Amino acid sequence: VRLTASYATLCRKSARAIDAPESMQARAGCWLSLVGAGGRAARLAVSAEIAIPVATGPRRPSILIPARLFEELSDDDLEQIGLHEAAHLARRDDYALMAQRVLEAVLELHPVVRWIARQIDLEREIACDDLAAEATGCPRVYAACLTRAFALCGGVRASFAAANAADDRSHLSRRVELLVDRRRRTGARLRTARLAAFAAALVALVCLVGRTPALVAFGGPRTATAVAAIPRVEKVEETKMNRRT
């Protein structure tokens, strides 16, 4: 119920949002191209009903910018925030996030599921940060922009059903720490060969486990036929022992 209500509210806010000027719409297409969206189109709109920039989908993909940020951030900052949200759409996070939230709803009370979901949320934002920083070529400038946007947003979570640029403080500090780490190697693009190799190894492992006999076997309940055969077996064994004697 919570997920459905959140998604419905997000769709209504997206429908009521005001389309950005034509010049900004053209920049949105450029953002998608820079982060490797593969021809996916998205609407850029301004909304006074949200506090944090969000990427919505999968129905009518949109990048929604809060009206306050649109007024107070510079064009360069808006460019970097837009790149982050475009990265969500390029990665198809709107589809993946919906599937994740459904699993969270089904297993709401499972502590391990909640912890894993939180880690996935963090890794999703880190991956989009890497794509945006790779597109701009200035990770430190992007990190500064991220902290300014977070300060203006107040760290309020936008929607349970949307991918957003700013989350809670602990996630933000970790993201900024990774962005300014010069020793860290970032690989924002998908390595097809490595992914195929891991997938093949996983399939081979599953097949191998399926063919391996069980390490522990548990006896099942004895049938009437098996119980009746026990005295005959014991009698045969007794006859053999007598002959040997």
Side-chain angles (χ1 to χ4, degrees), residues 127-211:
C128 291
D129 287 342
D130 288 340
L131 282 169
E134 181 181 308
T136 61
C138 302
R140 289 178 175 270
V141 175
Y142 173 75
C145 167
L146 198 61
T147 55
R148 283 194 295 272
F150 185 89
L152 290 173
C153 294
V156 181
R157 191 176 185 87
S159 171
F160 187 63
N164 45 271
D167 207 330
D168 58 36
R169 295 178 186 275
S170 60
H171 279 191
L172 179 70
S173 60
R174 177 60 177 162
R175 290 163 60 187
V176 171
E177 178 184 350
L178 293 174
L179 283 168
V180 299
D181 186 358
R182 296 182 181 274
R183 298 170 297 177
R184 175 172 171 258
R185 296 180 60 185
T186 60
R189 304 296 176 179
L190 177 64
R191 291 184 172 91
T192 307
R194 182 176 295 182
L195 178 62
F198 276 115
L202 181 61
V203 171
L205 181 61
V206 170
C207 293
L208 180 62
V209 170
R211 293 174 177 272

Coordinates of all heavy atoms in Angstrom, one line a residue, residues 127-211:
A127 N 27.4 4.8 -8.1 CA 27.5 4.5 -9.5 C 27.1 5.7 -10.3 O 27.8 6.1 -11.3 CB 26.7 3.3 -9.9
C128 N 26.0 6.4 -10.0 CA 25.6 7.6 -10.7 C 26.5 8.7 -10.5 O 26.8 9.6 -11.4 CB 24.2 7.9 -10.3 SG 22.9 6.8 -10.9
D129 N 27.1 8.8 -9.3 CA 28.1 9.9 -9.0 C 29.3 9.7 -9.9 O 29.9 10.6 -10.5 CB 28.5 9.8 -7.5 CG 27.5 10.3 -6.6 OD1 26.6 11.1 -7.0 OD2 27.6 10.0 -5.4
D130 N 29.7 8.4 -10.1 CA 30.9 8.1 -10.9 C 30.6 8.5 -12.4 O 31.5 9.0 -13.1 CB 31.3 6.6 -10.8 CG 31.9 6.3 -9.4 OD1 32.4 7.2 -8.8 OD2 31.9 5.1 -9.1
L131 N 29.4 8.2 -12.8 CA 29.1 8.5 -14.2 C 29.1 10.1 -14.4 O 29.5 10.6 -15.4 CB 27.7 8.0 -14.6 CG 27.7 6.5 -14.9 CD1 26.2 6.0 -15.0 CD2 28.4 6.2 -16.2
A132 N 28.5 10.8 -13.4 CA 28.4 12.2 -13.6 C 29.8 12.8 -13.5 O 30.2 13.8 -14.2 CB 27.5 12.8 -12.5
A133 N 30.6 12.3 -12.5 CA 32.0 12.9 -12.4 C 32.8 12.6 -13.6 O 33.7 13.4 -14.1 CB 32.6 12.3 -11.1
E134 N 32.6 11.4 -14.2 CA 33.3 11.0 -15.4 C 32.9 11.9 -16.6 O 33.8 12.3 -17.4 CB 33.0 9.6 -15.8 CG 33.7 9.1 -17.0 CD 33.4 7.6 -17.4 OE1 33.5 6.8 -16.5 OE2 33.0 7.4 -18.5
A135 N 31.7 12.3 -16.7 CA 31.2 13.2 -17.7 C 31.7 14.6 -17.6 O 32.1 15.3 -18.6 CB 29.7 13.2 -17.7
T136 N 31.8 15.1 -16.3 CA 32.4 16.5 -16.1 C 33.9 16.5 -16.1 O 34.5 17.5 -16.4 CB 31.8 17.0 -14.8 OG1 32.2 16.2 -13.7 CG2 30.3 17.1 -14.8
G137 N 34.5 15.4 -15.7 CA 36.0 15.4 -15.5 C 36.5 16.1 -14.3 O 37.7 16.2 -14.1
C138 N 35.6 16.5 -13.4 CA 36.0 17.3 -12.2 C 35.2 16.7 -11.0 O 34.2 17.3 -10.6 CB 35.7 18.7 -12.3 SG 36.5 19.5 -13.8
P139 N 35.7 15.6 -10.4 CA 35.0 15.0 -9.3 C 34.9 15.8 -8.1 O 33.9 15.8 -7.4 CB 35.8 13.7 -9.0 CG 37.1 13.9 -9.7 CD 36.9 14.8 -10.8
R140 N 35.9 16.6 -7.8 CA 35.9 17.5 -6.6 C 34.9 18.6 -6.8 O 34.2 19.0 -5.8 CB 37.3 18.1 -6.4 CG 38.3 17.1 -5.9 CD 39.7 17.7 -5.7 NE 40.6 16.7 -5.1 CZ 40.8 16.5 -3.7 NH1 40.1 17.3 -2.9 NH2 41.6 15.6 -3.3
V141 N 34.8 19.2 -8.0 CA 33.8 20.2 -8.2 C 32.4 19.6 -8.1 O 31.4 20.2 -7.5 CB 34.0 20.8 -9.6 CG1 32.8 21.8 -9.9 CG2 35.3 21.5 -9.7
Y142 N 32.2 18.4 -8.6 CA 30.9 17.7 -8.5 C 30.6 17.4 -7.0 O 29.4 17.5 -6.6 CB 31.0 16.4 -9.3 CG 29.7 15.5 -9.1 CD1 28.5 15.9 -9.7 CD2 29.8 14.4 -8.3 CE1 27.4 15.1 -9.5 CE2 28.7 13.6 -8.1 CZ 27.5 14.0 -8.7 OH 26.4 13.2 -8.5
A143 N 31.6 17.0 -6.2 CA 31.3 16.7 -4.8 C 30.9 18.0 -4.1 O 30.0 18.0 -3.2 CB 32.6 16.2 -4.2
A144 N 31.5 19.1 -4.4 CA 31.1 20.4 -3.8 C 29.7 20.8 -4.2 O 28.9 21.2 -3.4 CB 32.0 21.5 -4.2
C145 N 29.3 20.5 -5.5 CA 27.9 20.8 -5.9 C 27.0 19.9 -5.2 O 25.9 20.3 -4.8 CB 27.9 20.5 -7.4 SG 26.2 20.4 -8.1
L146 N 27.3 18.6 -5.0 CA 26.5 17.7 -4.3 C 26.2 18.2 -2.8 O 25.0 18.1 -2.4 CB 27.1 16.3 -4.2 CG 26.2 15.1 -4.0 CD1 25.2 15.0 -5.0 CD2 27.1 13.9 -3.9
T147 N 27.2 18.7 -2.2 CA 27.0 19.1 -0.8 C 26.1 20.4 -0.8 O 25.3 20.6 0.1 CB 28.3 19.4 -0.1 OG1 29.1 20.3 -0.9 CG2 29.1 18.1 0.1
R148 N 26.3 21.3 -1.7 CA 25.4 22.5 -1.8 C 24.0 22.1 -2.0 O 23.1 22.7 -1.4 CB 25.9 23.4 -2.9 CG 27.2 24.2 -2.6 CD 27.4 25.4 -3.6 NE 27.7 24.9 -4.9 CZ 28.9 24.5 -5.4 NH1 29.9 24.7 -4.5 NH2 29.1 24.1 -6.6
A149 N 23.8 21.2 -3.0 CA 22.4 20.7 -3.2 C 21.8 20.1 -2.0 O 20.6 20.3 -1.7 CB 22.4 19.8 -4.4
F150 N 22.6 19.3 -1.3 CA 22.1 18.6 -0.1 C 21.7 19.7 1.0 O 20.7 19.5 1.7 CB 23.1 17.7 0.5 CG 22.7 16.9 1.6 CD1 22.1 15.6 1.4 CD2 22.9 17.3 2.9 CE1 21.6 14.9 2.5 CE2 22.5 16.5 4.0 CZ 21.8 15.3 3.8
A151 N 22.5 20.7 1.1 CA 22.2 21.7 2.1 C 20.9 22.5 1.8 O 20.1 22.8 2.7 CB 23.4 22.7 2.2
L152 N 20.7 22.7 0.5 CA 19.5 23.4 0.1 C 18.3 22.5 0.2 O 17.2 23.0 0.6 CB 19.6 23.9 -1.4 CG 20.6 25.1 -1.6 CD1 20.8 25.3 -3.1 CD2 20.1 26.3 -0.9
C153 N 18.5 21.2 0.0 CA 17.3 20.3 0.1 C 17.0 20.0 1.5 O 15.9 19.6 1.8 CB 17.7 19.0 -0.7 SG 17.9 19.2 -2.5
G154 N 17.9 20.1 2.4 CA 17.7 19.8 3.8 C 17.8 18.3 4.1 O 17.4 17.9 5.2
G155 N 18.2 17.5 3.1 CA 18.4 16.1 3.4 C 17.1 15.3 3.5 O 17.1 14.2 4.1
V156 N 16.0 15.8 2.9 CA 14.7 15.1 3.0 C 14.6 14.1 1.9 O 14.8 14.5 0.7 CB 13.6 16.2 2.9 CG1 12.2 15.5 3.0 CG2 13.7 17.2 4.0
R157 N 14.2 12.9 2.2 CA 14.0 11.9 1.1 C 12.8 12.3 0.3 O 11.7 12.5 0.8 CB 13.8 10.5 1.8 CG 13.9 9.4 0.8 CD 13.8 8.0 1.4 NE 14.0 7.0 0.5 CZ 15.1 6.5 0.2 NH1 16.2 7.0 0.7 NH2 15.2 5.5 -0.7
A158 N 13.0 12.2 -1.0 CA 12.0 12.7 -1.9 C 10.8 11.7 -2.1 O 9.6 12.1 -1.9 CB 12.6 12.9 -3.3
S159 N 11.1 10.5 -2.4 CA 10.0 9.5 -2.6 C 10.5 8.1 -2.4 O 11.7 7.8 -2.7 CB 9.4 9.7 -4.0 OG 8.5 8.6 -4.3
F160 N 9.6 7.3 -1.9 CA 10.0 5.8 -1.7 C 10.2 5.2 -3.1 O 10.9 4.2 -3.2 CB 8.9 5.2 -0.9 CG 9.2 3.8 -0.5 CD1 10.2 3.5 0.3 CD2 8.4 2.7 -1.0 CE1 10.5 2.1 0.7 CE2 8.6 1.4 -0.6 CZ 9.7 1.1 0.2
A161 N 9.5 5.7 -4.1 CA 9.5 5.0 -5.4 C 10.4 5.7 -6.4 O 10.4 5.4 -7.6 CB 8.1 5.0 -6.0
A162 N 11.2 6.7 -6.0 CA 12.0 7.4 -7.0 C 13.5 7.4 -6.6 O 13.9 7.2 -5.5 CB 11.6 8.9 -7.1
A163 N 14.3 7.5 -7.7 CA 15.8 7.6 -7.5 C 16.1 9.1 -7.3 O 15.8 9.9 -8.2 CB 16.5 7.0 -8.6
N164 N 16.8 9.5 -6.3 CA 17.1 10.9 -6.0 C 18.6 11.1 -5.8 O 19.3 10.2 -5.6 CB 16.3 11.4 -4.8 CG 16.5 10.4 -3.6 OD1 15.7 9.5 -3.5 ND2 17.5 10.6 -2.8
A165 N 18.9 12.4 -6.0 CA 20.3 12.8 -6.0 C 20.9 12.9 -4.5 O 22.1 12.7 -4.3 CB 20.5 14.1 -6.7
A166 N 20.0 13.3 -3.6 CA 20.5 13.5 -2.2 C 19.7 12.6 -1.3 O 18.5 12.5 -1.4 CB 20.3 14.9 -1.8
D167 N 20.5 11.9 -0.4 CA 19.8 11.0 0.6 C 20.2 11.4 2.0 O 20.4 12.6 2.2 CB 20.2 9.5 0.3 CG 19.2 8.5 0.7 OD1 18.5 8.8 1.7 OD2 19.1 7.5 0.1
D168 N 20.4 10.5 2.9 CA 20.7 10.9 4.2 C 22.2 11.3 4.4 O 23.0 11.1 3.5 CB 20.3 9.8 5.2 CG 21.0 8.5 4.9 OD1 22.1 8.5 4.5 OD2 20.4 7.4 5.1
R169 N 22.5 11.8 5.6 CA 23.8 12.3 5.8 C 24.9 11.3 5.7 O 26.0 11.5 5.2 CB 23.9 13.0 7.2 CG 23.0 14.2 7.3 CD 23.0 14.8 8.7 NE 22.0 15.9 8.8 CZ 22.2 17.2 8.4 NH1 23.4 17.5 7.9 NH2 21.3 18.1 8.5
S170 N 24.7 10.1 6.3 CA 25.7 9.1 6.2 C 26.1 8.6 4.8 O 27.2 8.4 4.5 CB 25.2 7.8 7.1 OG 24.1 7.3 6.5
H171 N 25.1 8.5 4.0 CA 25.3 8.2 2.6 C 26.1 9.3 1.9 O 27.0 9.1 1.1 CB 24.0 7.9 1.8 CG 23.5 6.5 2.1 ND1 22.4 6.0 1.4 CD2 23.9 5.6 3.0 CE1 22.2 4.7 1.8 NE2 23.1 4.5 2.8
L172 N 25.7 10.6 2.1 CA 26.3 11.7 1.5 C 27.8 11.8 1.8 O 28.7 12.0 1.0 CB 25.6 13.0 1.9 CG 26.2 14.2 1.3 CD1 26.0 14.3 -0.2 CD2 25.7 15.5 1.9
S173 N 28.1 11.6 3.1 CA 29.5 11.7 3.5 C 30.4 10.6 2.8 O 31.5 10.8 2.4 CB 29.6 11.6 5.0 OG 29.1 10.3 5.5
R174 N 29.8 9.4 2.7 CA 30.5 8.3 2.1 C 30.7 8.6 0.6 O 31.8 8.3 0.0 CB 29.7 7.0 2.2 CG 30.3 5.8 1.5 CD 31.7 5.5 2.0 NE 32.3 4.3 1.4 CZ 33.6 4.0 1.4 NH1 34.4 4.8 2.0 NH2 34.0 2.9 0.8
R175 N 29.7 9.1 -0.1 CA 29.8 9.5 -1.5 C 30.9 10.6 -1.8 O 31.7 10.4 -2.7 CB 28.4 9.9 -2.0 CG 27.4 8.8 -2.1 CD 26.0 9.3 -2.2 NE 25.8 10.1 -3.4 CZ 24.7 10.8 -3.6 NH1 23.7 10.7 -2.8 NH2 24.6 11.5 -4.8
V176 N 30.8 11.6 -0.9 CA 31.8 12.7 -1.1 C 33.2 12.1 -0.8 O 34.2 12.5 -1.5 CB 31.5 13.8 -0.1 CG1 32.6 14.9 -0.1 CG2 30.2 14.5 -0.6
E177 N 33.4 11.3 0.2 CA 34.7 10.7 0.5 C 35.2 9.9 -0.7 O 36.4 10.0 -1.0 CB 34.6 9.8 1.7 CG 35.8 9.1 2.1 CD 35.6 8.1 3.2 OE1 34.5 8.1 3.8 OE2 36.6 7.3 3.5
L178 N 34.4 9.2 -1.4 CA 34.8 8.4 -2.6 C 35.1 9.3 -3.7 O 36.1 9.0 -4.5 CB 33.7 7.4 -2.9 CG 33.5 6.2 -2.0 CD1 32.3 5.4 -2.4 CD2 34.7 5.4 -1.8
L179 N 34.4 10.4 -3.9 CA 34.6 11.3 -5.0 C 36.0 12.0 -4.9 O 36.6 12.2 -5.9 CB 33.5 12.3 -5.1 CG 32.2 11.8 -5.7 CD1 31.1 12.9 -5.4 CD2 32.3 11.5 -7.2
V180 N 36.4 12.4 -3.7 CA 37.6 13.1 -3.5 C 38.8 12.2 -3.4 O 40.0 12.7 -3.2 CB 37.5 14.1 -2.4 CG1 36.4 15.1 -2.6 CG2 37.3 13.4 -1.1
D181 N 38.6 10.9 -3.3 CA 39.7 10.0 -3.2 C 40.5 9.8 -4.5 O 39.9 9.2 -5.4 CB 39.2 8.6 -2.7 CG 40.3 7.7 -2.3 OD1 41.5 8.0 -2.5 OD2 40.0 6.5 -1.9
R182 N 41.6 10.3 -4.6 CA 42.4 10.3 -5.9 C 42.9 8.9 -6.2 O 43.2 8.5 -7.3 CB 43.5 11.3 -5.9 CG 43.1 12.7 -5.8 CD 44.3 13.6 -5.8 NE 44.0 15.0 -5.7 CZ 43.6 15.8 -6.8 NH1 43.7 15.3 -8.0 NH2 43.3 17.1 -6.6
R183 N 43.1 8.0 -5.2 CA 43.6 6.7 -5.4 C 42.6 5.7 -5.8 O 42.9 4.6 -6.3 CB 44.3 6.2 -4.1 CG 45.4 7.0 -3.6 CD 45.8 6.6 -2.2 NE 44.7 6.8 -1.2 CZ 44.8 6.5 0.1 NH1 45.8 5.9 0.6 NH2 43.7 6.7 0.9
R184 N 41.3 6.1 -5.7 CA 40.3 5.2 -6.1 C 40.1 5.1 -7.6 O 40.1 6.1 -8.3 CB 38.9 5.7 -5.5 CG 37.7 4.8 -5.9 CD 36.5 5.3 -5.1 NE 35.3 4.7 -5.5 CZ 34.4 5.3 -6.3 NH1 34.6 6.6 -6.7 NH2 33.3 4.7 -6.7
R185 N 40.0 3.9 -8.1 CA 39.8 3.6 -9.5 C 38.3 3.4 -9.8 O 37.7 2.6 -9.2 CB 40.6 2.4 -10.0 CG 42.1 2.5 -9.9 CD 42.8 1.3 -10.3 NE 42.5 1.0 -11.7 CZ 42.9 -0.2 -12.4 NH1 43.5 -1.1 -11.7 NH2 42.6 -0.3 -13.6
T186 N 37.8 4.2 -10.6 CA 36.3 4.1 -10.9 C 36.1 3.6 -12.3 O 36.8 4.0 -13.3 CB 35.7 5.5 -10.9 OG1 36.3 6.4 -11.8 CG2 35.8 6.1 -9.5
G187 N 35.3 2.6 -12.4 CA 34.9 2.0 -13.7 C 33.4 2.1 -13.9 O 32.6 1.3 -13.5
A188 N 33.0 3.3 -14.4 CA 31.5 3.6 -14.5 C 30.9 2.8 -15.6 O 29.7 2.6 -15.6 CB 31.3 5.1 -14.6
R189 N 31.6 2.4 -16.6 CA 31.0 1.7 -17.8 C 31.0 0.2 -17.5 O 31.8 -0.3 -16.9 CB 31.8 2.0 -19.0 CG 32.0 3.5 -19.3 CD 30.7 4.2 -19.6 NE 30.8 5.7 -19.8 CZ 29.9 6.5 -20.0 NH1 28.6 6.0 -20.1 NH2 30.1 7.8 -20.2
L190 N 30.0 -0.4 -18.1 CA 29.7 -1.8 -18.0 C 30.8 -2.6 -18.8 O 31.0 -2.3 -20.0 CB 28.4 -2.2 -18.5 CG 28.0 -3.7 -18.5 CD1 28.0 -4.2 -17.0 CD2 26.7 -3.9 -19.1
R191 N 31.5 -3.5 -18.1 CA 32.5 -4.3 -18.8 C 31.8 -5.6 -19.2 O 31.6 -6.5 -18.4 CB 33.6 -4.6 -17.9 CG 34.5 -3.4 -17.6 CD 35.7 -3.8 -16.7 NE 36.7 -2.7 -16.5 CZ 36.6 -1.8 -15.6 NH1 35.7 -1.9 -14.7 NH2 37.5 -0.9 -15.5
T192 N 31.4 -5.6 -20.5 CA 30.6 -6.7 -21.0 C 31.3 -8.1 -20.9 O 30.7 -9.1 -20.5 CB 30.2 -6.5 -22.5 OG1 29.6 -5.2 -22.6 CG2 29.2 -7.5 -23.0
A193 N 32.6 -8.1 -21.3 CA 33.4 -9.3 -21.3 C 33.5 -9.9 -19.8 O 33.3 -11.1 -19.6 CB 34.8 -9.1 -21.8
R194 N 33.7 -9.0 -18.9 CA 33.8 -9.5 -17.5 C 32.5 -10.0 -17.0 O 32.4 -11.0 -16.3 CB 34.4 -8.3 -16.6 CG 34.6 -8.7 -15.2 CD 35.2 -7.6 -14.3 NE 36.5 -7.3 -14.8 CZ 37.3 -6.3 -14.2 NH1 36.8 -5.7 -13.2 NH2 38.5 -6.1 -14.7
L195 N 31.4 -9.3 -17.3 CA 30.1 -9.7 -16.9 C 29.7 -11.0 -17.5 O 29.2 -11.9 -16.8 CB 29.1 -8.6 -17.3 CG 27.6 -8.9 -17.0 CD1 27.4 -9.0 -15.5 CD2 26.7 -7.9 -17.6
A196 N 30.1 -11.2 -18.8 CA 29.8 -12.5 -19.4 C 30.6 -13.7 -18.7 O 30.1 -14.8 -18.5 CB 30.1 -12.4 -20.9
A197 N 31.8 -13.4 -18.4 CA 32.7 -14.4 -17.7 C 32.1 -14.8 -16.4 O 32.0 -16.0 -16.0 CB 34.1 -13.9 -17.6
F198 N 31.7 -13.8 -15.6 CA 31.1 -14.1 -14.3 C 29.8 -14.8 -14.4 O 29.5 -15.8 -13.6 CB 30.9 -12.8 -13.5 CG 32.1 -12.3 -12.8 CD1 32.7 -11.1 -13.1 CD2 32.7 -13.1 -11.7 CE1 33.9 -10.7 -12.4 CE2 33.8 -12.6 -11.1 CZ 34.4 -11.4 -11.4
A199 N 29.0 -14.5 -15.4 CA 27.7 -15.2 -15.6 C 28.0 -16.6 -16.0 O 27.3 -17.5 -15.5 CB 26.9 -14.5 -16.7
A200 N 28.9 -16.9 -16.9 CA 29.3 -18.2 -17.3 C 29.8 -19.0 -16.1 O 29.4 -20.2 -16.0 CB 30.3 -18.2 -18.4
A201 N 30.6 -18.4 -15.3 CA 31.1 -19.1 -14.1 C 30.0 -19.5 -13.2 O 30.0 -20.6 -12.6 CB 32.2 -18.3 -13.4
L202 N 29.1 -18.6 -13.0 CA 27.9 -18.8 -12.1 C 27.1 -20.0 -12.6 O 26.7 -20.8 -11.8 CB 27.1 -17.6 -11.9 CG 25.9 -17.6 -11.0 CD1 26.3 -18.0 -9.6 CD2 25.1 -16.3 -11.0
V203 N 26.8 -20.0 -13.9 CA 26.0 -21.1 -14.5 C 26.7 -22.4 -14.4 O 26.1 -23.4 -14.0 CB 25.7 -20.8 -16.0 CG1 25.1 -22.0 -16.7 CG2 24.8 -19.5 -16.1
A204 N 28.0 -22.4 -14.6 CA 28.8 -23.7 -14.4 C 28.8 -24.2 -13.0 O 28.6 -25.4 -12.7 CB 30.2 -23.4 -14.9
L205 N 28.9 -23.2 -12.1 CA 28.8 -23.6 -10.6 C 27.5 -24.2 -10.3 O 27.4 -25.2 -9.5 CB 29.2 -22.4 -9.8 CG 29.2 -22.6 -8.3 CD1 30.3 -23.6 -7.9 CD2 29.4 -21.3 -7.5
V206 N 26.4 -23.6 -10.8 CA 25.1 -24.1 -10.5 C 24.9 -25.5 -11.0 O 24.3 -26.4 -10.4 CB 24.0 -23.1 -11.0 CG1 22.6 -23.8 -10.9 CG2 24.0 -21.8 -10.2
C207 N 25.4 -25.7 -12.3 CA 25.3 -27.0 -12.9 C 26.1 -28.1 -12.1 O 25.6 -29.2 -11.9 CB 25.7 -27.0 -14.3 SG 24.7 -26.0 -15.4
L208 N 27.3 -27.7 -11.7 CA 28.1 -28.6 -10.9 C 27.5 -29.0 -9.6 O 27.5 -30.1 -9.2 CB 29.5 -27.9 -10.7 CG 30.5 -28.8 -9.9 CD1 30.8 -30.0 -10.7 CD2 31.8 -28.0 -9.6
V209 N 26.9 -28.0 -8.9 CA 26.3 -28.3 -7.6 C 25.1 -29.2 -7.8 O 24.8 -30.1 -7.0 CB 25.8 -27.0 -6.9 CG1 25.0 -27.2 -5.7 CG2 27.1 -26.2 -6.5
G210 N 24.3 -29.0 -8.9 CA 23.2 -29.8 -9.2 C 23.5 -31.3 -9.5 O 22.8 -32.2 -9.2
R211 N 24.7 -31.5 -10.0 CA 25.2 -32.9 -10.3 C 25.9 -33.5 -9.1 O 26.1 -34.7 -9.1 CB 26.1 -32.9 -11.5 CG 25.4 -32.6 -12.8 CD 26.3 -32.5 -13.9 NE 25.7 -32.2 -15.2 CZ 25.2 -33.1 -16.0 NH1 25.3 -34.4 -15.7 NH2 24.6 -32.8 -17.1

